[in-house]
Amino acid sequence: MTDKELKSKRIAILSPVAWRTPPRAYGAWETVASNITEGLVARGWKNITLFATKDSITKAKLVSFVDKGYEEDKSQIPSVSTCLHISKALEQAGDFDLIHNNFDYLPLTYTPFIKTPMLTTIHGFSEPDILRVYYDHKDSYFVSISDSDRDPGLPYLATVYNGIDLSGLTFREKPGDKLVHYGRIHNDKGTHLAIEVAKKCGMELIIAGIIQYQAYFDNLIKPHLNQSSIQYIGPVNPTARNALLKEAYAVIHLNLIPERFGLVMAESMAAGVPVIAMDLGSCREVIADKQTGYLVKNVDEAVKAVGKIDLIDRKRCRQHVEENFTIDLMVEGYERVYAEIFRREAEKK
Amino acid sequence: MTDKELKSKRIAILSPVAWRTPPRAYGAWETVASNITEGLVARGWKNITLFATKDSITKAKLVSFVDKGYEEDKSQIPSVSTCLHISKALEQAGDFDLIHNNFDYLPLTYTPFIKTPMLTTIHGFSEPDILRVYYDHKDSYFVSISDSDRDPGLPYLATVYNGIDLSGLTFREKPGDKLVHYGRIHNDKGTHLAIEVAKKCGMELIIAGIIQYQAYFDNLIKPHLNQSSIQYIGPVNPTARNALLKEAYAVIHLNLIPERFGLVMAESMAAGVPVIAMDLGSCREVIADKQTGYLVKNVDEAVKAVGKIDLIDRKRCRQHVEENFTIDLMVEGYERVYAEIFRREAEKK
């Protein structure tokens, strides 16, 4: 297949409908679905359709069955919006050569009814029980977002790392003077550990992100907040995130469960900010240890790592992202996967 | 179509997988799905397949993709079991002449992908938002379980009242001396109002059923319980329910939202027990006012109704169920609906 033939294939990108695509602030899966869509268009793909909420923004063709993200409009029952969005998108399956699913396991249950192949990027296994659906559809096509985030029983075509939009992330050689922790506020992300690190280092900490686990925030985070040294500034949109990273001496990311990919780490490095991360899951795939940050095992190691941040070349952080985690590189990865799927499908015929 | 031809049609009954079919204790939708299935078999249908949990009991052919009800096995994510059960059942749609869906809105989203007609008995609209799916599939076939429980914007083929199994409900002419309230313990069912009525009448009350709303039980019910006059005995299986109704002078059912059908009312009358019910929703379709119980508007009217229970002929209560709410009558109703669907489908061809 020539490059021109490949890029004329009709691709449906199925984004989640929890948030707008791209999301206003939080919404990792929608962010990646948006980056894939816009990246394909930028690389000359002619027939890209994005299935997402009606208020979504794209240079591709937008098709919507849900007006707003169910996280932004609480009158919606999420399972109702989800099944309508998915089923009505897949009713159009015959109009596409490939459906690229970025919305979890439910779309797989419709695959026996459609002829168009489906590629699912597994953005995460929210619970072990959802593997029942994946195992029931092992004949489908899967991509992992890091080598570490793979279920050993599933067949994968490839790992395609998430790519981020560098245009909104200003590289700054001059470090800020604060520690920064951002993302969803949840035990899994170790927000309370970032506070420990800041206190032990005697440095200021800015925390940002949506509160995903209110009791955790109320009991483990809120009591430590004040107007000066430990601040919580709420969720950040891309502009606010860029401003936040200007303040950062380092980003503290002491995740307590294996990271699946870790957009926060890539974004931080893109802004030239080294990341101190727990050595769990994909962190060692995203961070170049001792070159763009430090992989640690506990709070004490994180405190020591803060003491060695000056050894990190911030230009190297940016370069590491440019070489590994751009939208263009991600889309190149998906182009190879799409081509492989078309090859296998042609073989079947 | 001859009766023999009709009864040789291949029917798939899609039951929910929240509980076993039939359920051990609570599980209204599974109860009705079971009654339809066994009723069809009893009336000589030759090709009935029940899709339900693996531990279900049926004289029809049982096909299962989920071992146990997700309410009985908390390791399952309900949405995972639900979508697997539904999608895998519908993958076999081509083997059936009709799919009779008793499991809410999700099956409708698969109908554009299958050729077999689907009849959905709408056992309830859990939330207004689920109407989005029903409205999107108005070309499907719908049955309501009472005339009152109809959405004005949906086309219905018929109302088919639920039928109950009379064999496990012993008719007793001699009244018990207690008031009884049973069903799921929830504000909607007015358990707290049954307590009010019992206190005002100076009568004993037995409450039974699963606690569906724990804070309601803890705050509005539990403080009134004692070892003698107001007792809560937990959920009741059919045997325990039969024993419970022996104790009943009347059943108090002061529902605060429109009842959709009200299996509790039919069961009570079948045992010869008059029902005092709020005049909301289907209650006036199920109870013959002043003949098999009393329709009331508030607690005071309910108290007065208790004083008039002796005017009710308990034989008439049983007879009313025999004439309106048996499994056989329900299945006859569905046979008429099935025949109408086959007629319409034949016309389309």
Side-chain angles (χ1 to χ4, degrees):
Chain A
M1 193 182 297
T2 66
D3 188 65
K4 195 179 167 188
E5 279 166 350
L6 182 66
K7 289 184 175 175
S8 67
K9 291 284 185 185
R10 302 161 302 168
I11 312 290
I13 308 287
L14 194 58
S15 189
V17 288
W19 308 94
R20 187 187 78 178
T21 300
R24 291 174 172 82
Y26 179 77
W29 298 11
E30 286 86 351
T31 299
V32 178
S34 173
N35 287 344
I36 293 169
T37 306
E38 306 316 309
L40 287 164
V41 172
R43 286 174 62 85
W45 287 70
K46 300 296 177 206
N47 292 298
I48 305 296
T49 301
L50 173 67
F51 290 89
T53 59
K54 203 170 184 174
D55 56 358
S56 293
I57 298 164
T58 180
K59 285 183 176 147
K61 184 184 172 195
L62 176 67
V63 179
S64 307
F65 308 104
V66 173
D67 288 349
K68 287 178 178 185
Y70 55 74
E71 293 286 358
E72 301 178 75
D73 169 17
K74 291 296 185 180
S75 74
Q76 297 174 44
I77 298 182
S79 59
V80 169
S81 298
T82 296
C83 78
L84 270 178
H85 171 67
I86 290 168
S87 65
K88 296 197 71 64
L90 295 182
E91 282 178 40
Q92 302 186 9
D95 299 335
F96 297 96
D97 300 305
L98 177 68
I99 292 152
H100 184 170
N101 166 35
N102 289 276
F103 196 12
D104 222 348
Y105 61 86
L106 188 60
L108 290 169
T109 69
Y110 295 82
T111 53
F113 303 99
I114 62 176
K115 286 181 184 133
T116 309
M118 181 181 286
L119 166 67
T120 298
T121 296
I122 304 180
H123 291 285
F125 299 105
S126 53
E127 299 269 356
D129 194 42
I130 72 174
L131 279 172
R132 275 195 286 158
V133 183
Y134 287 103
Y135 274 61
D136 199 52
H137 295 282
K138 277 189 183 174
D139 54 340
S140 196
Y141 297 110
F142 301 107
V143 151
S144 54
I145 58 169
S146 66
D147 290 337
S148 78
D149 193 41
R150 285 189 167 201
D151 178 81
L154 280 183
Y156 292 87
L157 281 175
T159 287
V160 179
Y161 290 126
N162 289 336
I164 61 170
D165 182 4
L166 296 192
S167 68
L169 291 155
T170 312
F171 170 68
R172 294 181 184 95
E173 205 167 344
K174 186 171 170 271
D177 58 0
K178 298 181 177 66
L179 298 179
V180 164
H181 170 91
Y182 79 99
R184 56 191 175 91
I185 310 295
H186 190 289
N187 187 51
D188 292 347
K189 298 293 186 182
T191 310
H192 62 297
L193 300 181
I195 294 173
E196 284 293 294
V197 171
K199 287 186 171 176
K200 289 198 175 182
C201 294
M203 287 183 75
E204 287 177 38
L205 173 70
I206 307 180
I207 299 165
I210 62 162
I211 297 169
Q212 205 182 41
Y213 184 180
Q214 190 67 45
Y216 172 72
F217 179 80
D218 291 345
N219 299 330
L220 280 104
I221 308 305
K222 212 174 170 185
H224 300 282
L225 300 180
N226 52 49
Q227 294 303 311
S228 54
S229 61
I230 316 269
Q231 284 183 60
Y232 169 64
I233 60 169
V236 281
N237 64 20
T239 309
R241 182 189 59 198
N242 201 31
L244 172 67
L245 288 170
K246 189 185 173 186
E247 306 292 318
Y249 182 67
V251 161
I252 308 295
H253 189 82
L254 301 183
N255 49 300
L256 287 172
I257 60 166
E259 197 59 58
R260 301 180 182 291
F261 173 77
L263 286 171
V264 161
M265 298 186 286
E267 291 163 3
S268 304
M269 294 185 296
V273 179
V275 181
I276 295 168
M278 205 69 98
D279 189 8
L280 266 177
S282 61
C283 294
R284 63 169 48 241
E285 294 177 62
V286 176
I287 294 172
D289 192 24
K290 301 186 180 67
Q291 294 178 63
T292 69
Y294 294 99
L295 295 165
V296 300
K297 298 211 179 303
N298 52 50
V299 167
D300 285 343
E301 285 189 21
V303 172
K304 279 181 200 153
V306 173
K308 295 184 290 181
I309 286 293
D310 285 345
L311 302 176
I312 304 284
D313 176 3
R314 295 172 89 93
K315 272 186 217 148
R316 178 80 189 82
C317 294
R318 174 76 175 197
Q319 187 191 1
H320 183 64
V321 176
E322 286 170 349
E323 287 170 358
N324 294 282
F325 308 118
T326 64
I327 292 176
D328 209 50
L329 285 165
M330 170 176 68
V331 173
E332 253 185 61
Y334 279 116
E335 285 174 355
R336 282 191 295 271
V337 171
Y338 294 177
E340 172 66 13
I341 292 171
F342 293 132
R343 196 189 61 73
R344 291 193 190 189
E345 291 292 311
E347 252 178 22
K348 282 184 195 167
K349 279 163 196 165
Chain B
M1 194 182 298
T2 66
D3 188 63
K4 196 179 166 187
E5 279 166 348
L6 182 66
K7 290 185 174 175
S8 67
K9 290 284 186 186
R10 301 161 304 168
I11 312 291
I13 308 288
L14 194 57
S15 189
V17 288
W19 308 94
R20 189 188 76 178
T21 301
R24 291 173 173 84
Y26 179 77
W29 297 11
E30 286 86 351
T31 299
V32 178
S34 173
N35 287 344
I36 293 168
T37 306
E38 306 316 309
L40 287 164
V41 172
R43 286 175 62 85
W45 286 69
K46 299 297 179 206
N47 292 299
I48 306 296
T49 302
L50 172 67
F51 289 89
T53 59
K54 202 170 185 175
D55 55 358
S56 294
I57 298 164
T58 180
K59 285 182 176 148
K61 184 184 171 195
L62 176 66
V63 179
S64 307
F65 308 104
V66 173
D67 287 349
K68 288 179 177 184
Y70 56 74
E71 293 286 358
E72 302 179 76
D73 168 17
K74 291 296 185 181
S75 74
Q76 296 174 44
I77 297 182
S79 60
V80 169
S81 298
T82 297
C83 78
L84 269 179
H85 171 67
I86 290 167
S87 65
K88 296 197 72 64
L90 296 183
E91 282 178 40
Q92 302 185 9
D95 299 334
F96 297 96
D97 299 306
L98 177 67
I99 292 153
H100 184 169
N101 166 34
N102 290 275
F103 196 12
D104 222 350
Y105 61 87
L106 187 59
L108 290 168
T109 68
Y110 294 83
T111 54
F113 303 99
I114 62 177
K115 287 182 183 134
T116 309
M118 182 181 286
L119 167 67
T120 298
T121 296
I122 304 180
H123 291 284
F125 298 106
S126 53
E127 300 269 356
D129 193 43
I130 72 173
L131 280 172
R132 274 195 285 158
V133 183
Y134 287 103
Y135 274 60
D136 198 54
H137 296 282
K138 276 188 184 174
D139 55 339
S140 196
Y141 297 112
F142 301 108
V143 152
S144 54
I145 57 169
S146 67
D147 290 339
S148 78
D149 192 42
R150 285 189 167 201
D151 178 83
L154 279 184
Y156 292 86
L157 280 175
T159 286
V160 179
Y161 291 126
N162 289 336
I164 60 170
D165 182 5
L166 295 191
S167 68
L169 290 156
T170 313
F171 169 69
R172 295 182 183 94
E173 206 166 344
K174 186 170 170 274
D177 59 359
K178 298 180 176 68
L179 298 178
V180 165
H181 170 90
Y182 78 98
R184 55 191 174 91
I185 311 296
H186 189 289
N187 187 52
D188 292 347
K189 298 293 185 182
T191 309
H192 62 296
L193 300 180
I195 293 173
E196 285 294 294
V197 172
K199 286 185 173 177
K200 290 197 175 180
C201 294
M203 287 182 74
E204 288 178 37
L205 173 69
I206 307 180
I207 299 165
I210 62 161
I211 298 169
Q212 205 181 41
Y213 185 179
Q214 189 67 46
Y216 173 71
F217 179 80
D218 291 344
N219 298 331
L220 280 104
I221 307 306
K222 211 174 170 185
H224 300 282
L225 301 180
N226 53 48
Q227 294 305 310
S228 54
S229 61
I230 316 268
Q231 284 183 60
Y232 170 64
I233 62 169
V236 282
N237 64 21
T239 309
R241 183 189 60 198
N242 200 31
L244 173 67
L245 288 169
K246 190 184 173 186
E247 307 291 320
Y249 182 68
V251 161
I252 308 296
H253 188 83
L254 301 182
N255 49 301
L256 287 172
I257 60 165
E259 196 59 56
R260 301 182 182 289
F261 174 76
L263 287 171
V264 162
M265 298 186 285
E267 290 163 2
S268 303
M269 293 185 297
V273 180
V275 180
I276 296 168
M278 205 68 98
D279 189 9
L280 265 178
S282 62
C283 294
R284 65 168 46 241
E285 293 177 64
V286 176
I287 294 172
D289 192 23
K290 300 185 182 66
Q291 296 178 62
T292 70
Y294 294 100
L295 294 165
V296 300
K297 298 211 179 302
N298 52 49
V299 166
D300 285 343
E301 286 188 22
V303 171
K304 279 180 201 153
V306 173
K308 296 185 289 181
I309 285 295
D310 285 344
L311 302 177
I312 303 285
D313 176 3
R314 297 173 87 93
K315 273 186 215 144
R316 177 80 188 84
C317 294
R318 174 76 175 197
Q319 189 192 359
H320 184 63
V321 176
E322 286 169 350
E323 287 170 359
N324 294 284
F325 307 118
T326 64
I327 291 175
D328 209 51
L329 285 164
M330 170 176 69
V331 174
E332 253 185 62
Y334 279 117
E335 285 174 356
R336 283 191 294 273
V337 172
Y338 294 177
E340 173 65 14
I341 292 171
F342 293 132
R343 196 188 61 71
R344 293 194 189 188
E345 290 292 312
E347 252 178 22
K348 282 185 196 169
K349 280 162 195 166

